[in-house]
Amino acid sequence: MSDKTAFLWDEKCFWHYGGNYALLSPVGGLVQPMVSGGLPEAPETKRRLKNLMDVTGLSDELDMDSAAPASMDDLLRVHPQSYLDTFKEMSDNGGGELGLRTPFGSGAFEIAALSAGLVTEAIKRVQTGQARNAYALSRPPGHHCLPDFPNGFCLLANIAIAIEAARAQGLGKRFAVLDWDVHHGNGTEAIYLDRDDVLTISIHQDRCYPHDTGGTEVSGTGKGAGLNMNIPLPPGCGHKAYLDVMERLVIPKLKSFDADLVIIACGFDASGFDPLARMMCSPDTYRLMTRQVMEVTNGRLVAAHEGGYSELYVPFCGHAMLEEMSGSSIHAEDPLHARITGQQPDAYADAFHVQVIDRLEGELKANGVLC
């Protein structure tokens, strides 16, 4: 049984590209092209995380590797053949756009399958004892992707594909997905809403993206009743509110479900410097949330990279999380620590956030999610 942290990545995932966008709007009409161009879901946030790890020496302490792409059998456990055929055909013919805000270029099908393969391998490494825990630097992301409708930069449901592949290989029966990306994990929710073998939890900024999903009233259906936990937080929540939510709502639910493996849908877009959200988390927030989960799982977990769009700050948030996962003594000092600490909500805002969490706890209890 290894006590190392595996880090699964591949340069080809950085080569995925979208269309001619200015942030979230297609260029045209009154929308001018941007100098830097493209969607905010760009390779640099991920590449710079890997670069920072190389420079600090953290990469040398991890089990760095790539993985095989997810197979067609793996993909078909989650996505219908018709969707995969359309995606593959468009990818082979230069790319295009499927769904909502999911433009892609030539070869995107193979890159997306590789991204799902990295998550699949991460789960395999942990479940077979080859690693204590694992981080998949997956790109394109996956948590917004429905079985037949991609959206929010997500082309394949990476985590669901990996879970079902693990289940097919006899590497676990019960899984929990904790999604702390700032946007609601609507794709993962939809795939597992009526299942009793996967617990889905999403902490997100209320009505940020998608605008019409993520309420506490969506708690699971049929066999999955009570096994979907949505935690919509108001803009402005920071370090204290996120740790309180983890302690009061998330950790008790994880303990009661007792999964074979916890998988974190790991977005760093709740940071205080992200262009697509309005939260105030810091690298220390991600470090301590990771610690909270590891205390429940005895250090065993898998993280799959999702969002996070600040080229400066994502690397430091990710590095802090990986320091905690690996137990490394290497520390990448947060260059914006004083600024983000000074901008945290004051006592009046903290008191309001406590009231919000009280209300959410009551709603989740009323909907049968919490005891």
Side-chain angles (χ1 to χ4, degrees), residues 72-89:
M72 185 59 72
D73 286 344
D74 293 336
L75 303 185
L76 284 168
R77 294 188 188 97
V78 175
H79 298 285
Q81 185 76 62
S82 57
Y83 170 67
L84 297 174
D85 288 346
T86 301
F87 181 14
K88 180 70 163 66
E89 182 179 1

Side-chain angles (χ1 to χ4, degrees), residues 197-277:
D197 51 1
V198 179
L199 167 67
T200 49
I201 302 173
S202 179
I203 310 170
H204 49 270
Q205 182 180 317
D206 190 20
R207 291 174 290 180
C208 184
Y209 185 88
H211 304 298
D212 57 351
T213 68
T216 56
E217 72 281 0
V218 183
S219 56
T221 60
K223 292 182 178 180
L227 294 178
N228 185 72
M229 174 186 278
N230 281 326
I231 306 172
L233 298 175
C237 287
H239 183 77
K240 183 178 184 304
Y242 267 77
L243 294 183
D244 285 351
V245 160
M246 289 289 293
E247 180 180 351
R248 293 181 54 184
L249 308 181
V250 174
I251 297 303
K253 189 65 178 179
L254 288 177
K255 288 180 177 178
S256 68
F257 187 71
D258 191 26
D260 297 328
L261 183 67
V262 174
I263 303 155
I264 298 174
C266 184
F268 295 116
D269 36 14
S271 85
F273 298 97
D274 197 273
L276 296 190

Side-chain angles (χ1 to χ4, degrees), residues 178-190:
L178 167 57
D179 189 330
W180 64 41
D181 186 289
V182 82
H183 308 109
H184 175 230
N186 62 302
T188 313
E189 174 186 274

